[in-house]
Amino acid sequence: MEVRLEYLMPKEIEAAQAACNTLFLPLGTIEWHGLHNVAGLDAVKAHELCVRAAERGGGLVFPAIFGGVGGLDEPHTFVMEPENALASNVLRPWLEKLCMEAARNQFKAVIILTGHYGAAQQMAVRDTAVRMTRQLNIPVLGTPEYFLALDETYYGD
């Protein structure tokens, strides 16, 4: 069954929401990951993990969001906000609006999964999740993907 929101017709979205009303929001930056890896690794892996989770447990997956806070000072890196941008004037409002739109579209839970691990990115994602949970009165989880597999001794990338 298709779980990627952008490929679904309205009736398919409604059926998927009736079965499991969770929206996954995968995100990550475009940044240098060495000669052996793609520049979009962070968002690509977060998106794929969300797709696999939705296929197994239900829910729908928003298209990958390529952006965030921080990034290496290396070639092929797009830094939207510097790592020390603790206020996050781009990412936080963007995620807040997506959470509000999820609630407006009748989703009952949101999972924001970041594949980028910069400290400012993680704080922005987690803080947004807490505030949106309170404001929207729906559970919002914001976490880096490696947090979900620490018991498997996976620490990212």
Side-chain angles (χ1 to χ4, degrees), residues 41-125:
L41 173 67
D42 295 342
V44 169
K45 68 183 174 179
H47 186 262
E48 181 60 25
L49 287 168
C50 289
V51 167
R52 289 181 186 190
E55 286 173 345
R56 291 182 185 161
L60 292 173
V61 181
F62 199 81
I65 301 163
F66 289 88
V69 182
L72 299 172
D73 185 19
E74 294 287 344
H76 319 300
T77 300
F78 290 73
V79 178
M80 296 177 63
E81 296 182 282
E83 178 62 35
N84 61 358
L86 297 179
S88 181
N89 296 316
V90 176
L91 183 61
R92 286 178 199 235
W94 192 10
L95 292 175
E96 287 172 4
K97 182 62 176 168
L98 287 170
C99 288
M100 286 183 238
E101 285 299 294
R104 188 181 66 79
N105 280 280
Q106 307 303 310
F107 284 96
K108 300 298 181 201
V110 177
I111 298 172
I112 305 169
L113 190 69
T114 181
H116 178 65
Y117 309 143
Q121 174 94 351
Q122 290 186 55
M123 287 188 297
V125 166

Side-chain angles (χ1 to χ4, degrees), residues 1-18 20 22-23 54 58-63 107:
M1 176 173 123
E2 181 61 64
V3 296
R4 295 171 294 172
L5 190 58
E6 69 271 27
Y7 291 106
L8 296 175
M9 303 294 285
K11 287 186 179 189
E12 294 170 313
I13 293 170
E14 292 164 9
Q17 284 183 287
C20 180
T22 298
L23 180 67
L60 292 173
V61 181
F62 199 81
F107 284 96

